[in-house]
Amino acid sequence: MKKKIAVFASGWASQILNQFLTGLENSFLGKQIDTYLFLCYPSWATSADERKGEFNILRLPELSEFDGAIIVSNGLEFNDEIQFLCRKCRDSGKPSVSIGIKADGLYFVGVDN
C-alpha cells in the first residue's frame, strides 16, 4: 500500500521550494510514496480576509488519511498559521517535520544559509 505524505508550503520562495520538492521526489524514487502539496500565496500586502482565503488550502487535508506531514514553516511567515499547522500535525499523531521553525512534538530540520 502506498504511503501518503502531505506537504504544506508557501509558493513565495518557489526556487527553494522547487529544489526541495525535486529532492524529495528523488529520495522517494522506487518507493511506494506519494506526496500531496498544499500550496498557498499569502501576502502581508493583502487584507486579513484575503490571507484567510489563501490559508484555507492548508486546512483542507484530513491528516488521518495521510501517513505523515512536512511543513515548510520558514516560508509561511504568519506565526498563527504555522502554529495551527503544527498543532494539527501534532494532534494527528502522524510523524511530522517542520522545516525552518522548531515546534514541540514535531521533528525539525533547520536551515542555515
Side-chain angles (χ1 to χ4, degrees):
M1 178 182 237
K2 273 193 170 185
K3 300 285 186 184
K4 294 170 56 176
I5 307 297
V7 178
F8 300 97
S10 166
W12 289 116
S14 61
Q15 290 177 330
I16 295 167
L17 182 60
N18 183 50
Q19 290 174 352
F20 167 73
L21 292 172
T22 299
L24 190 65
E25 180 182 16
N26 289 339
S27 71
F28 290 162
L29 283 176
K31 298 180 177 138
Q32 293 292 311
I33 302 172
D34 284 332
T35 55
Y36 296 79
L37 178 62
F38 298 91
L39 183 69
C40 63
Y41 283 86
S43 173
W44 289 100
T46 60
S47 71
D49 286 340
E50 289 172 311
R51 280 193 306 274
K52 182 179 179 183
E54 284 289 334
F55 279 121
N56 277 338
I57 190 74
L58 306 179
R59 297 172 184 269
L60 284 177
E62 177 56 53
L63 289 182
S64 65
E65 298 175 10
F66 290 84
D67 297 292
I70 299 169
I71 305 169
V72 186
S73 54
N74 59 345
L76 290 171
E77 299 205 21
F78 293 88
N79 192 50
D80 54 338
E81 292 299 326
I82 295 167
Q83 295 308 316
F84 168 81
L85 277 176
C86 291
R87 191 171 43 256
K88 180 176 179 167
C89 288
R90 198 170 34 252
D91 291 350
S92 76
K94 304 293 180 162
S96 301
V97 178
S98 175
I99 299 174
I101 297 173
K102 289 184 182 180
D104 290 338
L106 273 63
Y107 294 101
F108 170 69
V109 175
V111 180
D112 183 0
N113 289 336

